[in-house]
Amino acid sequence: MIIADKKPIQEIIDQVSNYERILVLGCNECVTVCEAGGKKEVEILASVLRMHFLKEGQERKIDERTLERQCDHEYLEEIRDVIDQYDAVLSLACGVGVQFTAEKYLTTPVLPGVNTCFLGANEQRGMWTERCQACGECVLGKTAGICPISRCAKRVMNGPCGGSTNGKCEINSEVDCAWQLIIDRLKALGRMEDYEIVAPIKDWSTERAGGPRKVVREDVQV
Amino acid sequence: MSLNTPSRLEKVLKQGNLAVTSECGPPRGSDPEAVTSKGALIKDHVDAVNITDNQTSMTRMSSLAACIHLKQMGIEPVLQMVTRDRNRIALQSDILGAASFDIHNMLCLSGDHQSFGDCAQGQNVHDLDSMQLIQTVRLMRDEGKFLGGDDIKRPPKMFVGAAANPFADPFEIRVPRLAKKVACGVEFIQTQCIYNLDKFELWMEGVRERGLEDKVFIMAGMTPMKSAGMAKFMKNRVPGMDVPDEIIDRLSGVPKDKQAQEGIDICVEAIERLRECKGVAGFHIMAIEWEEKVPEIVERSGLYPRPQV
Ligand code: SF4
Ligand code: SF4
């Protein structure tokens, strides 16, 4: 899923300070699971903002709402009848949700309430780690199910580099070396001979490098 | 003896001599003197001189420019190229640029992560990795083709090298990894600095078991320690470095003002031992900011004079 993290509260206050009527808008998908932008976080953030402005002697309208998804037209329509009651929307969705909301409501400022970080998994309570950079051409079948693009600091396709030490990456002794993991798993799979297959130069045009991407699926279009 | 390039290093190695290379780090400024004065110190004691490419990710004068300065004073450069900072367009372009100055050796590396240097907030590129860079330069040289498939007019004549670190983890893939580089077309290897001689010899055993020493020239990397402090730092802080305690103990065992000399002695003794190791084709002596000691090391190790080829 998409992993997001909280923004510093001061940054949020600075962003919304010019607006009288604010809708704090959560999303019920990834950001709920990673506890950055679901109903619970919307509630907490809205009350922190109310308290902040009250302390400043200002009463502002700060409402709460959480949609099923902000990356879907259907759910975003649910706020059409109320959008004009607000000077700004503070969206706690990922960057996709923030933008989709902004596209839909052209004349309402939509501000990001979280930092969208990566595609990852919940490794343990309160800790999420990256697993994929959406390169558009998955090579996991050749790398024992471990992604060298998202998990190697140099995205080396034929690793490990010379900096791998005790299973950890040269950038930080807390970060696993992706290539150590790949080798461990090749061993577990009894496929160590695959290690010597040279990975060809990658076509990065399916990745960010190729410009904004689009998936068109005629089989599911209506 | 068939030569693939006009490289002097290639000739020295293929004639069966133990080759000697050294290394210069370009300055953090634009003064060419900083390169040429280092070059002058070691000129007569080595066959070729590597120029590092923004090593440890600290921004420096470009490797290619520094190589040109050496070339113009009659020293044979080895152009180091990391894949961290340039995409395939820039890499191929710089290879052609180097070839236009008749630079005939290069070393393909991935480079340290940028977080070690002065631009920790910068992007890294890693469009190719070091193995793919080896393949690229071999394609350019042998087929006369760009990666995109077009013909190159006057293809580059590069003798292609790469690094190997026998001490990085996991140890069991260190020989297979070399085999992979050989399969990609590497012609010479300069290893990481060797302090743990036993472990290096064990690695070489694995190399010989697969007959790799017949397919690639392996130059053993040597860096003299300046002090016990440097040895401790290398042991604890430099990723992929294996410094046994006995080296630290030996340096600590002599007074501070004698430690540098002790470091040189350790280095000379290591060369004397490893030149007997079957499959070692030469030595790459990296005396970091201590180039003036290279002649002493080369002479005392019996590697002087250098062959005239
Ligand atoms: S190879 Fe690409 S698609 Fe597959 S996990 Fe890695 S980044 Fe994601
Ligand atoms: S140590 Fe491992 S994860 Fe880190 S850059 Fe090198 S190969 Fe990649």
Side-chain angles (χ1 to χ4, degrees):
Chain A
M1 66 177 162
I2 295 174
I3 308 300
D5 196 5
K6 296 185 170 176
K7 268 195 184 292
I9 186 68
Q10 192 56 51
E11 186 185 334
I12 293 181
I13 290 169
D14 292 345
Q15 283 194 92
V16 301
S17 62
N18 289 332
Y19 304 108
E20 288 298 323
R21 302 169 302 163
I22 301 156
L23 176 64
V24 183
L25 190 64
C27 175
N28 208 17
E29 295 281 354
C30 307
V31 288
T32 296
V33 185
C34 68
E35 301 182 53
K39 189 159 185 284
K40 188 178 78 191
E41 292 75 33
V42 166
E43 260 170 44
I44 296 169
L45 183 61
S47 49
V48 169
L49 288 174
R50 275 182 215 114
M51 261 154 55
H52 167 80
F53 289 116
L54 267 179
K55 262 208 310 222
E56 309 256 290
Q58 311 169 18
E59 197 159 334
R60 299 205 186 181
K61 176 179 160 79
I62 297 176
D63 288 347
E64 303 166 19
R65 187 82 180 253
T66 296
L67 301 179
E68 195 51 38
R69 276 199 287 284
Q70 288 186 37
C71 54
D72 220 320
H73 288 295
E74 182 189 337
Y75 300 107
L76 277 175
E77 281 302 326
E78 291 172 9
I79 54 169
R80 180 161 306 277
D81 53 339
V82 294
I83 193 81
D84 289 339
Q85 299 169 18
Y86 300 102
D87 302 319
V89 172
L90 179 63
S91 165
L92 299 199
C94 70
V96 180
V98 177
Q99 290 181 68
F100 225 46
T101 309
E103 283 167 35
K104 198 151 216 68
Y105 301 109
L106 213 53
T107 54
T108 308
V110 180
L111 308 163
V114 297
N115 289 323
T116 304
C117 300
F118 49 79
L119 303 184
N122 190 191
E123 198 152 304
Q124 61 188 56
R125 185 82 210 266
M127 184 172 114
W128 295 267
T129 49
E130 183 166 18
R131 288 291 183 280
C132 175
Q133 282 181 3
C135 74
E137 201 186 29
C138 195
V139 300
L140 287 174
K142 294 182 175 140
T143 56
I146 288 139
C147 170
I149 295 162
S150 57
R151 302 191 68 186
C152 165
K154 301 176 193 166
R155 65 177 190 189
V156 288
M157 305 303 292
N158 295 284
C161 77
S164 181
T165 308
N166 298 321
K168 301 296 176 186
C169 175
E170 69 173 32
I171 59 162
N172 185 327
S173 58
E174 313 242 300
V175 176
D176 288 330
C177 167
W179 276 95
Q180 175 79 56
L181 299 176
I182 291 171
I183 289 155
D184 291 347
R185 193 136 194 280
L186 280 174
K187 256 192 254 168
L189 295 169
R191 278 179 35 202
M192 260 315 272
E193 66 282 2
D194 286 7
Y195 174 74
E196 291 196 31
I197 302 170
V198 178
I201 292 176
K202 192 162 164 67
D203 173 359
W204 293 110
S205 69
T206 59
E207 186 246 19
R208 179 208 60 81
R213 292 169 283 176
K214 186 192 239 178
V215 173
V216 181
R217 287 268 312 278
E218 283 174 9
D219 55 331
V220 291
Q221 279 176 347
V222 281
Chain B
M1 181 184 63
S2 82
L3 295 171
N4 297 330
T5 72
S7 158
R8 172 187 148 108
L9 179 60
E10 182 185 10
K11 214 175 279 170
V12 169
L13 286 163
K14 287 197 171 160
Q15 286 182 358
N17 305 291
L18 279 173
V20 179
T21 52
S22 186
E23 183 168 297
C24 285
R28 304 204 70 210
S30 61
D31 185 0
E33 261 279 308
V35 181
T36 53
S37 61
K38 281 181 185 175
L41 289 171
I42 54 179
K43 191 174 191 290
D44 301 325
H45 286 79
V46 298
D47 305 311
V49 176
N50 286 39
I51 297 284
T52 52
D53 182 3
N54 296 294
Q55 77 268 27
T56 63
S57 305
M58 292 297 265
T59 314
R60 292 171 179 273
M61 180 195 287
S62 81
S63 172
L64 176 52
C67 281
I68 294 166
H69 288 301
L70 288 191
K71 180 83 190 180
Q72 285 171 345
M73 60 191 287
I75 299 177
E76 170 146 314
V78 179
L79 173 70
Q80 294 197 184
M81 272 197 163
V82 302
T83 59
R84 177 191 60 223
D85 308 321
R86 279 164 293 188
N87 72 359
R88 61 190 82 178
I89 302 173
L91 290 166
Q92 293 179 93
S93 163
D94 280 351
I95 290 168
L96 293 183
S100 77
F101 283 94
D102 289 327
I103 289 167
H104 297 306
N105 309 289
M106 67 177 274
L107 196 77
C108 304
L109 305 165
S110 53
D112 296 313
H113 192 263
Q114 72 276 13
S115 58
F116 290 99
D118 62 341
C119 290
Q121 298 186 345
Q123 275 282 7
N124 57 20
V125 180
H126 297 298
D127 182 14
L128 310 182
D129 65 21
S130 58
M131 298 220 191
Q132 296 163 344
L133 180 57
I134 296 168
Q135 290 177 317
T136 300
V137 59
R138 286 296 302 262
L139 174 84
M140 293 173 76
R141 182 187 87 191
D142 301 341
E143 321 270 322
K145 297 265 189 218
F146 286 107
L147 282 176
D150 293 341
D151 290 337
I152 298 173
K153 296 193 186 91
R154 191 181 188 261
K157 293 268 173 271
M158 290 285 179
F159 187 47
V160 184
N165 184 356
F167 309 106
D169 291 316
F171 184 67
E172 72 265 30
I173 59 102
R174 289 291 136 195
V175 172
R177 188 163 166 74
L178 177 67
K180 238 174 140 170
K181 287 192 177 175
V182 169
C184 288
V186 75
E187 296 167 298
F188 72 99
I189 290 286
Q190 292 169 327
T191 75
Q192 171 71 290
C193 324
I194 302 161
Y195 299 104
N196 187 339
L197 305 187
D198 295 340
K199 194 160 180 188
F200 175 76
E201 285 166 345
L202 191 69
W203 179 73
M204 282 301 299
E205 235 177 84
V207 169
R208 289 193 302 268
E209 266 163 33
R210 295 191 53 168
L212 295 173
E213 83 283 14
D214 297 330
K215 298 185 179 142
V216 63
F217 295 104
I218 296 171
M219 303 185 67
M222 294 288 145
T223 292
M225 295 285 194
K226 269 184 175 165
S227 65
M230 171 178 169
K232 284 182 201 149
F233 179 84
M234 301 258 272
K235 182 187 176 81
N236 299 322
R237 302 289 291 280
V238 182
M241 192 73 76
D242 183 344
V243 183
D245 286 333
E246 58 211 65
I247 299 268
I248 296 172
D249 294 345
R250 185 166 158 192
L251 289 163
S252 310
V254 299
K256 268 221 156 71
D257 61 329
K258 299 250 160 50
Q259 287 181 356
Q261 196 52 49
E262 194 71 17
I264 303 277
D265 291 351
I266 293 173
C267 182
V268 170
E269 289 163 29
I271 295 176
E272 283 169 347
R273 174 166 154 189
L274 293 184
R275 59 183 296 169
E276 304 304 325
C277 176
K278 191 169 172 292
V280 170
F283 293 92
H284 179 51
I285 303 168
M286 300 162 271
I288 304 155
E289 296 306 321
W290 212 20
E291 289 81 4
E292 69 272 21
K293 290 293 176 189
V294 171
E296 179 186 338
I297 296 170
V298 174
E299 286 177 21
R300 283 180 53 198
S301 313
L303 296 168
Y304 188 78
R306 300 308 311 144
Q308 298 303 313
V309 293

